[in-house]
Amino acid sequence: MPAPPSPGRLTVITGPSGVGKGTLVARLLQRHPWLWLSVSATTRTPRAGEIDGQHYFFLTRPDFEQRVSTGGFLEWAAFAGHLYGTPRGPVEEHLAQGRPVLLEIELEGARQVRLTFPAAFQLLIKPPSFEELERRIRGRGTDGEEAIQKRLARARVELEAEAEFDAVLVNGDLEAAVAELERLVGLDAGMTPLP
Ligand code: ADP
Ligand code: 5GP
């Protein structure tokens, strides 16, 4: 019988809303389809173009709380007035298959994962400046003013937690940041595992 695959590596990507996490991760997944990105659950309403089951699992608050009470989340947290959580089963299954797994989550969730998966690689994405972060959140055009203010307030706290992370990546020039992300996640040229 062939030996079972060795467990995949878990990478946690955190950073203020609007810093470009989604953009960077999408580029990484295009280049490395063997990577698996966890789809989170949330109680926030979908933005234009967001698809249930693809961008998030959009749950009602009672449904989310039910899943919390049955241990269905690897981690979960409140962010800007909504709840967000990582469904536990799919992450464990993909890691057991030997696939590298990415979580794109906020700071409190990253802290929980640090306790349950101490071997996970934790990466903080930073903007070149706070002014540029604000420009990106506003330029994205997906959030109302109240949501933007909550996200900017939280951004300061997330950026102050820099010392907790294994590595920090400044998302200035996008191409350079994608290349650096590949290197940090261990997927630079020649290292991509075949599916
Ligand atoms: P997050 O997932 O962190 O909330 P997004 O990926 O949605 O952030 O990016 C927020 C906005 O910033 C988007 O409009 C995106 O196109 C833009 N953006 C992302 N990376 C860069 C970059 N390196 N330079 C300039 N704009 C960027
Ligand atoms: P957004 O509403 O902009 O999609 O996400 C808001 C914040 O929630 C982002 O910082 C994002 O990384 C974080 N987030 C998304 N999914 C999860 C999750 O499953 N758990 C936690 N803790 N945070 C999440």
Side-chain angles (χ1 to χ4, degrees):
M1 230 173 44
S6 54
R9 186 186 201 212
L10 181 62
T11 300
V12 175
I13 296 185
T14 301
S17 182
V19 74
K21 302 179 298 297
T23 306
L24 288 168
V25 166
R27 295 289 279 266
L28 197 67
L29 289 168
Q30 267 171 10
R31 293 197 200 183
H32 303 280
W34 179 237
L35 252 181
W36 185 75
L37 173 66
S38 165
V39 180
S40 296
T42 184
T43 61
R44 88 155 159 71
T45 48
R47 294 174 179 145
E50 282 185 332
I51 298 165
D52 188 39
Q54 187 177 323
H55 297 92
Y56 280 105
F57 296 104
F58 294 98
L59 301 184
T60 61
R61 196 169 264 257
D63 283 350
F64 192 102
E65 285 166 352
Q66 162 72 16
R67 288 181 68 167
V68 170
S69 69
T70 56
F73 293 124
L74 195 69
E75 60 71 37
W76 67 276
F79 182 93
H82 304 289
L83 304 180
Y84 295 80
T86 303
R88 179 188 299 279
V91 171
E92 292 180 346
E93 284 155 23
H94 285 89
L95 288 174
Q97 287 167 10
R99 280 181 78 166
V101 169
L102 281 186
L103 306 184
E104 194 246 279
I105 61 177
E106 54 67 66
L107 181 61
E108 291 305 325
R111 287 175 171 158
Q112 291 169 45
V113 175
R114 195 169 294 128
L115 299 177
T116 48
F117 282 86
F121 179 68
Q122 298 233 352
L123 176 63
L124 180 70
I125 314 281
K126 292 202 331 179
S129 67
F130 206 82
E131 291 67 33
E132 173 62 12
L133 178 68
E134 183 162 354
R135 256 194 302 278
R136 287 185 192 173
I137 295 190
R138 293 188 183 284
R140 187 168 63 184
T142 52
D143 302 293
E145 187 57 30
E146 192 189 340
I148 289 175
Q149 290 306 330
K150 282 185 181 164
R151 281 154 201 274
L152 288 175
R154 191 64 197 157
R156 295 195 186 277
V157 176
E158 301 207 306
L159 293 172
E160 280 166 11
E162 176 173 339
E164 295 177 25
F165 287 82
D166 297 314
V168 173
L169 169 58
V170 177
N171 181 21
D173 175 72
L174 184 61
E175 290 309 321
V178 173
E180 178 66 0
L181 181 61
E182 270 186 319
R183 193 186 66 75
L184 288 165
V185 177
L187 293 166
D188 43 347
M191 291 180 62
T192 312
L194 289 171

